[in-house]
Amino acid sequence: MTTTPPPPPPADPTATGPLTATDHRAFAFLGHLNSSLRQCLCTLARHGVALRRDAPERARVLLDTVRPWPLYKGGQFLFDLMEWEDLMVDGDPPPVMPAERIVAACTLPVQLIAATAAEEVPAVTKLVPGQRTTAALDLPLRLLATTARSTLLGAAQDITDLLGPRADPDDGAGYAVDPEPVADDADPELPPLEAGFYLYEDIALGALSVLGPLLADHAPTDPAPSA
């Protein structure tokens, strides 16, 4: 009696084909990055849905504040251009990313932005060779730098005022940085994301909710200087 031999095991994909082992490892890293981005975006959107559900008035004020900002508009453009909505809603929902991980990933960029807004702009003479060119550009560049710095400081202060809940009227303070608790993996009350019109807004709300304490910690302590 003859028996049919079992089929051979599948070949190692790195052993054949035009791609090298380095290619496969690079794609493995990029795939992990893609999955992490999807997990982060979906988590922020779910926090945004929770904020709209639990504090609709606060969510409205937050969105009304950030909508005119170029950063918000640019984010909307990139969100649509890169088709991140398709990435987020394609397949089963990913697990919730811990808030601590999102904050840790954003700490260094926030620190760099805060440091840039607080530092004095270097002298134009160090950047532009030639005394006549320097003299011609000195005032416009200084005005532009001062305006940019004032905008950054003002935006940071606006976010701090919105995210920091008001202190008790009797304690004599203005705003107290007392962040609301953020849901984690074990929180069954974190709602699913809602695809469609609200998706980008929910990501923005979720980012303000999760990153609010980090932004408040780096808010300017002195008023923005006048030009």
Side-chain angles (χ1 to χ4, degrees), residues 56-148:
E57 183 64 18
R58 180 185 176 213
R60 183 189 64 79
V61 174
L62 286 173
L63 286 175
D64 287 346
T65 301
V66 300
R67 277 196 187 103
W69 294 356
L71 183 62
Y72 180 88
K73 296 177 180 179
Q76 175 75 75
F77 174 76
L78 292 177
F79 184 82
D80 295 335
L81 180 67
M82 297 183 177
E83 299 182 348
W84 278 352
E85 179 174 358
D86 295 341
L87 169 71
M88 295 171 64
V89 301
D90 183 24
D92 296 331
V96 174
M97 179 176 286
E100 294 80 6
R101 182 179 171 189
I102 298 176
V103 172
C106 296
T107 297
L108 181 58
V110 171
Q111 289 175 341
L112 292 175
I113 293 172
T116 301
E119 288 177 359
E120 292 295 331
V121 180
V124 179
T125 54
K126 298 180 181 179
L127 303 178
V128 183
Q131 294 181 354
R132 293 182 179 86
T133 304
T134 298
L137 294 178
D138 182 68
L139 181 58
L141 286 178
R142 287 183 182 276
L143 289 174
L144 180 62
T146 302
T147 301

Side-chain angles (χ1 to χ4, degrees), residues 195-215:
F197 177 76
Y198 290 108
L199 193 53
Y200 177 71
E201 291 185 351
D202 286 339
I203 293 174
L205 287 174
L208 291 171
S209 176
V210 173
L211 300 176
L214 175 64
L215 300 178

Side-chain angles (χ1 to χ4, degrees), residues 6 10 13 17 34 44-45 58 67 115 136 150 157 192 194 203:
N34 203 53
L44 292 177
R58 180 185 176 213
R67 277 196 187 103
S150 299
Q157 189 62 60
E194 298 178 4
I203 293 174

